[in-house]
Amino acid sequence: MIGNLQCVVLDCPDAPALARFYRSLLGGELNRPDPRWGLSDVWATLHTGSGLVLAFQGVAEYRPPHWPDPARPQQFHLDVEVADLDRARRRVLRLGATLLDAGDGARGWQIYADPAGHPFCLLRG
């Protein structure tokens, strides 16, 4: 092992707004004081209850991925396990997510984009 993962950083146009979206999706604490990084108008963090830290970095000329367009690929995505896929879909859409692929009803996941365009999946638990 070479090191420990500190956090996952997502570029976006509005760091505080995207941090709030993910707090509503995953729970956790926004902008907890942490000696590893400072906070600003263009940097926000979310410490989730599972120990994962997501950071959000504002980028002035942000260009979101276009799933599944290889010219502007997703680069990464998050998988979020949920107990009730239908209920979770309604909730993330109210939060500002966009449904990208609902599937055929038989598979156990659906693909969404967060408000900044990053793909993520809701997986039936």
Side-chain angles (χ1 to χ4, degrees):
M1 180 175 90
I2 294 173
N4 293 309
L5 180 65
Q6 292 289 312
C7 68
V8 175
V9 181
L10 289 81
D11 286 355
C12 58
D14 184 338
L18 195 58
R20 288 189 300 271
F21 171 85
Y22 277 100
R23 180 188 57 192
S24 295
L25 178 61
L26 302 171
E29 184 179 350
L30 288 177
N31 298 326
R32 179 192 311 171
D34 191 314
R36 296 174 289 184
W37 46 72
L39 301 171
S40 71
D41 292 341
V42 296
W43 183 265
T45 61
L46 175 66
H47 289 73
T48 69
S50 67
L52 173 67
V53 178
L54 295 176
F56 307 91
Q57 177 173 266
V59 174
E61 295 183 31
Y62 175 72
R63 292 184 49 188
H66 283 245
W67 183 89
D69 181 0
R72 291 195 24 212
Q74 66 177 332
Q75 300 172 12
F76 80 97
H77 72 269
L78 302 174
D79 287 343
V80 179
E81 182 179 349
V82 298
D84 183 325
L85 199 52
D86 292 329
R87 183 171 182 257
R89 176 183 36 211
R90 290 190 299 272
R91 293 180 69 192
V92 298
L93 292 174
R94 279 196 305 266
L95 292 171
T98 302
L99 179 63
L100 299 177
D101 183 351
D104 60 8
R107 72 177 197 209
W109 74 92
Q110 297 174 338
I111 305 167
Y112 297 82
D114 69 24
H118 303 105
F120 69 95
C121 294
L122 295 180
L123 311 170
R124 184 179 302 122

